[in-house]
Amino acid sequence: MKEKPTREQIVEAADRLFYERGFEHTSFADIADVVKISRGNFYHHFKSKDEILRAVIEARVASTREMLARWEAASDNPAERIRSYIDVLIAHRTPIMKYGCPVGTLCSELARLGHASRTEANALFGLFRQWLRREFERLGRARDSDTLALHLIARSQGVAVMANAFHDEAFIRREARMLYAWLAQYCPEQEQTHE
Amino acid sequence: MKEKPTREQIVEAADRLFYERGFEHTSFADIADVVKISRGNFYHHFKSKDEILRAVIEARVASTREMLARWEAASDNPAERIRSYIDVLIAHRTPIMKYGCPVGTLCSELARLGHASRTEANALFGLFRQWLRREFERLGRARDSDTLALHLIARSQGVAVMANAFHDEAFIRREARMLYAWLAQYCPEQEQTHE
DNA sequence: GTCTATAGACGGATAGAC
DNA sequence: GTCTATCCGTCTATAGAC
């Protein structure tokens, strides 16, 4: 069995820990513990904690792009594509209730720390924003596509924050249904097969 | 000029710093700096950081109750009262863009830390939830008053998260208008004088 | 003399950097 | 593995009110 390169293992572990415990609350020792390397070995791969953060954000950008590409491949219908975005709330409900949204919590933490990588983290929101905007445009909403995209992301973020606070799965499902209904009003007439 | 009691000054400073920098990121030295007392003096008033956190949450609960009481005093109309809640997004747009929502960010941070005072912090959401629920009931929505209350809080939280990430004032105003419109659909027929 | 507020030094632990 | 910085928490000392 071929092991993954150490650097990649570090980024994966950091990615998970930054999500579960937060960036600041995660120490080198925590990451080294998971990867099972010494702290000394650490600095061979990353010179500073900020450097790990940058690598984690890059990895998340890459995986987000892949996910968006998968949604595009899965359907040609813009409404169905946008529904894929809403579906994430349901599919990831367990970690969301435990830890919130990975993008939202990271951006909030970095904003508060006034961290230099803030902008890069916000770019994650930007990816969804642009992608959703394009799909809303294809739904014939060229004039307010950005407004709709931002609105949908904000609604999802709100659901994540409240689900995290109250650990309420029924709430997530209910809000997801509301979002499907909200989306439906922007769709040209067609049978709603979803769920 | 009579000075405020030191304890009160500490709680006020901690309240502000916990909001602006976060609970974990705020050190005793930071608070002592603001209040202009020594760190040693600190422990005369509070035995631990958690004790300050509890005092801060208590203070926020008290000030929230006062705010809700003011909204009740300002109008007898449940729709107008609920609008007072939405108004906060506009009135506090500047700190929200800078630091997010004080309740949301605290609850998210404590949830992530697995902090013991998590429950008390969530009670802040609970205050708004119960209050909004009662007003929705008075609007004749006894059956789904809690759903509507939670939905409205979630929407606000989403706006706060995104406004914080993108520093977008126009977005806040737009979303507030959408919320006023959303609320209007639950109101019995009457002229909409608001804004 | 006692009680309370304040100040400052010290120790243990942890984390980041090298 | 070590070095340094930071931070929490404790301990002791001082000053003034009563």
Side-chain angles (χ1 to χ4, degrees):
Chain A
M1 57 179 190
K2 42 181 156 187
E3 291 275 335
K4 277 181 197 167
T6 306
R7 192 195 145 91
E8 202 174 318
Q9 286 185 50
I10 292 176
V11 173
E12 276 179 21
D15 191 351
R16 193 170 57 82
L17 289 171
F18 287 174
Y19 177 38
E20 293 177 2
R21 308 186 189 182
F23 168 67
E24 222 193 357
H25 198 56
T26 300
S27 72
F28 278 15
D30 293 333
I31 306 174
D33 250 30
V34 172
V35 187
K36 288 185 176 45
I37 58 172
S38 69
R39 272 202 335 296
N41 191 359
F42 219 104
Y43 284 85
H44 179 66
H45 298 279
F46 294 96
K47 275 194 274 296
S48 74
K49 198 177 177 182
D50 292 351
E51 206 170 292
I52 303 180
L53 176 61
R54 278 195 295 273
V56 166
I57 294 177
E58 273 175 37
R60 289 194 187 181
V61 166
S63 70
T64 301
R65 284 191 203 281
E66 284 169 25
M67 184 170 68
L68 295 175
R70 278 198 304 276
W71 293 349
E72 288 186 26
S75 169
D76 218 17
N77 179 332
E80 264 184 52
R81 287 181 176 181
I82 296 172
R83 273 197 289 270
S84 300
Y85 176 81
I86 304 173
D87 289 341
V88 174
L89 284 174
I90 304 291
H92 292 180
R93 63 190 182 280
T94 307
I96 285 174
M97 286 190 288
K98 264 191 182 164
Y99 312 111
C101 164
V103 182
T105 52
L106 183 67
C107 286
S108 294
E109 184 176 3
L110 296 187
R112 182 168 293 203
L113 296 178
H115 196 286
S117 295
R118 235 201 109 162
T119 316
E120 284 85 350
N122 281 342
L124 283 166
F125 272 139
L127 284 180
F128 288 106
R129 182 177 181 173
Q130 288 196 340
W131 187 87
L132 286 170
R133 187 168 57 191
R134 209 177 328 123
E135 298 305 324
F136 277 113
E137 279 168 13
R138 292 187 53 219
L139 273 180
R141 309 291 304 191
R143 276 193 56 208
D144 56 355
S145 59
D146 190 55
T147 295
L148 295 173
L150 216 44
H151 177 82
L152 177 52
I153 300 174
R155 291 272 291 263
S156 315
Q157 286 300 310
V159 173
V161 169
M162 299 307 290
N164 182 227
F166 286 112
H167 281 270
D168 189 338
E169 180 169 340
F171 164 74
I172 299 184
R173 295 188 180 277
R174 204 165 59 217
E175 289 286 330
R177 276 198 302 274
M178 291 188 205
L179 282 172
Y180 294 131
W182 171 82
L183 175 61
Q185 77 183 299
Y186 298 109
C187 295
E189 222 40 64
Q190 59 178 43
E191 68 274 46
Q192 300 294 331
T193 55
H194 190 81
E195 212 209 5
Chain B
M1 59 177 188
K2 43 181 157 187
E3 291 275 334
K4 275 182 199 166
T6 307
R7 193 194 145 92
E8 204 175 317
Q9 287 186 51
I10 292 175
V11 173
E12 277 178 21
D15 191 351
R16 193 171 57 84
L17 288 172
F18 287 174
Y19 177 38
E20 294 177 2
R21 309 186 188 182
F23 168 68
E24 221 193 359
H25 196 57
T26 301
S27 73
F28 277 22
D30 293 333
I31 307 175
D33 251 29
V34 172
V35 186
K36 289 187 175 44
I37 59 172
S38 69
R39 267 177 29 74
N41 189 5
F42 218 105
Y43 284 85
H44 180 69
H45 298 278
F46 294 95
K47 276 192 273 297
S48 73
K49 198 177 178 182
D50 292 352
E51 207 171 292
I52 303 179
L53 176 61
R54 277 196 296 274
V56 166
I57 294 176
E58 272 175 38
R60 290 194 186 181
V61 166
S63 69
T64 300
R65 284 190 204 280
E66 284 169 24
M67 184 171 65
L68 295 175
R70 276 197 304 276
W71 293 350
E72 288 186 26
S75 168
D76 219 17
N77 179 330
E80 265 184 51
R81 288 181 175 179
I82 297 172
R83 273 197 289 270
S84 300
Y85 176 82
I86 303 172
D87 289 340
V88 174
L89 284 174
I90 304 291
H92 293 180
R93 63 191 182 280
T94 307
I96 286 174
M97 285 189 290
K98 264 192 184 164
Y99 312 111
C101 165
V103 181
T105 52
L106 183 66
C107 286
S108 295
E109 183 176 3
L110 296 186
R112 182 169 288 204
L113 296 177
H115 195 285
S117 294
R118 232 200 110 161
T119 317
E120 284 86 350
N122 282 342
L124 282 167
F125 273 140
L127 283 180
F128 288 106
R129 181 178 181 171
Q130 288 196 340
W131 188 87
L132 287 171
R133 187 168 57 192
R134 209 176 329 123
E135 299 306 323
F136 277 114
E137 280 168 13
R138 292 186 54 217
L139 274 180
R141 310 290 303 192
R143 276 193 56 207
D144 55 356
S145 59
D146 190 56
T147 296
L148 295 172
L150 217 43
H151 177 81
L152 177 51
I153 300 175
R155 292 270 291 265
S156 316
Q157 287 300 311
V159 173
V161 169
M162 299 308 289
N164 183 227
F166 286 112
H167 282 270
D168 188 338
E169 180 169 339
F171 164 74
I172 298 184
R173 295 187 181 277
R174 203 166 59 218
E175 288 287 328
R177 276 197 302 274
M178 290 188 204
L179 282 172
Y180 294 132
W182 170 82
L183 175 61
Q185 77 182 298
Y186 297 109
C187 295
E189 221 41 63
Q190 60 177 41
E191 68 275 46
Q192 302 291 336
T193 56
H194 190 79
E195 213 207 5

